[in-house]
Amino acid sequence: MSDVKELLGRAAEHAGQPVISAEGVYAKAARVRWRRRATVAAAAFGVVTAGALAVPGLTAQPKEEQASVAAPAELAGNSGRAKQLVELLPKGVGAVEQVSLAVIIKHATPQQAKEHPVGPLDGQYAVRRDGGVGYLVIGAMNGKQVSQKLGGFSAAADICRPTNGEPRPADCVREELLDGRVLTIWSDPMKNLDGGTPDWGPELVARLTLKDGGLLAVRDSTGFTADTSQGPLLKSTPLTRAQLRTLMLSPELLPKK
């Protein structure tokens, strides 16, 4: 899994405004992972979504209040971005709708969950198939954002071959493309070592390093287990590794120049 410490995104633009990012909902599972592989995480997991400040201390609302909390209209259901994404996905993936994980898991308000996408299809998407619910989380950063978030670590580093004694990401494959870009895909069992919630299922993670210094990343998750779960875990990730590779190389996901 891509840890999320560096994904604090755009705080200066929204100072004083309480905002919850999608990456904040992964924080509990990430904390244990961060302690075990902090150096690798900083270089490896740079981008998952274009984010904003997580709000410390936000607690889940009582169930009777949850009905009044809805995802922002532009982030819910069969949105324009969801329709565009479906056109890039293979047949049989399942029903796809755009969602806000901050709203679903943290019960954030629409204002708190407001997003600031960099890429045209950045966002979080629920994938429903065979009674289960998984997620595709797409995010991009430009070169300046990458430099700020990685704090001196090279985005071009080979994360499949860590040099500091940290464990190698599982099933990690690094592919140097002919045009100079680098695509890395690995798997993460997402074992919940601290017993926190939500309990995320296994996932694939992909990162594409761009020639201009930017990054594109996609999380291909089987879903999560919690009181707020939208359904059981998928039996397999929404996309196979080959399908995820194809999606990562789709120009439609890249920021417009």
Side-chain angles (χ1 to χ4, degrees), residues 20-43:
I20 293 178
S21 60
E23 54 271 10
V25 303
Y26 293 91
K28 273 200 171 181
R31 279 196 287 271
V32 172
R33 238 191 275 3
W34 182 263
R35 288 194 293 269
R36 286 190 290 115
R37 7 177 258 207
T39 304
V40 174

Side-chain angles (χ1 to χ4, degrees), residues 93-143:
V93 167
V96 179
E97 63 176 354
Q98 190 170 5
V99 298
S100 168
L101 289 174
V103 169
I104 294 170
I105 297 175
K106 291 288 190 178
H107 308 307
T109 66
Q111 183 62 27
Q112 289 173 324
K114 187 176 181 180
E115 298 180 348
H116 307 279
V118 173
L121 295 183
D122 283 5
Q124 303 119 53
Y125 302 86
V127 180
R128 301 177 185 275
R129 183 175 69 211
D130 299 329
V133 182
Y135 297 92
L136 291 172
V137 181
I138 301 173
M141 282 187 183
N142 59 40

Side-chain angles (χ1 to χ4, degrees), residues 44-211:
F45 304 129
V47 176
V48 176
T49 59
L53 275 181
V55 178
L58 184 78
T59 58
Q61 299 178 17
K63 289 187 176 181
E64 60 268 19
E65 296 181 16
Q66 292 180 16
S68 65
V69 181
E74 68 273 16
L75 294 180
N78 197 17
S79 68
R81 271 187 275 175
K83 292 178 180 179
Q84 294 177 58
L85 178 60
V86 167
E87 294 179 357
L88 302 177
L89 300 178
K91 294 181 179 180
V93 167
V96 179
E97 63 176 354
Q98 190 170 5
V99 298
S100 168
L101 289 174
V103 169
I104 294 170
I105 297 175
K106 291 288 190 178
H107 308 307
T109 66
Q111 183 62 27
Q112 289 173 324
K114 187 176 181 180
E115 298 180 348
H116 307 279
V118 173
L121 295 183
D122 283 5
Q124 303 119 53
Y125 302 86
V127 180
R128 301 177 185 275
R129 183 175 69 211
D130 299 329
V133 182
Y135 297 92
L136 291 172
V137 181
I138 301 173
M141 282 187 183
N142 59 40
K144 182 178 179 180
Q145 292 171 316
V146 170
S147 178
Q148 292 173 339
K149 301 300 180 289
L150 293 189
F153 289 94
S154 172
D158 185 353
I159 63 178
C160 292
R161 298 174 182 269
T163 59
N164 59 351
E166 295 291 344
R168 179 180 185 269
D171 305 317
C172 189
V173 176
R174 183 177 190 268
E175 182 180 357
E176 296 184 4
L177 305 177
L178 294 177
D179 60 5
R181 296 180 298 168
V182 178
L183 174 63
T184 307
I185 300 177
W186 66 96
S187 62
D188 193 320
M190 291 295 291
K191 293 182 178 179
N192 190 358
L193 300 181
D194 67 354
T197 58
D199 188 2
W200 287 92
E203 63 183 41
L204 290 171
V205 187
R207 191 189 77 172
L208 182 66
T209 302
L210 307 177
K211 293 184 291 182

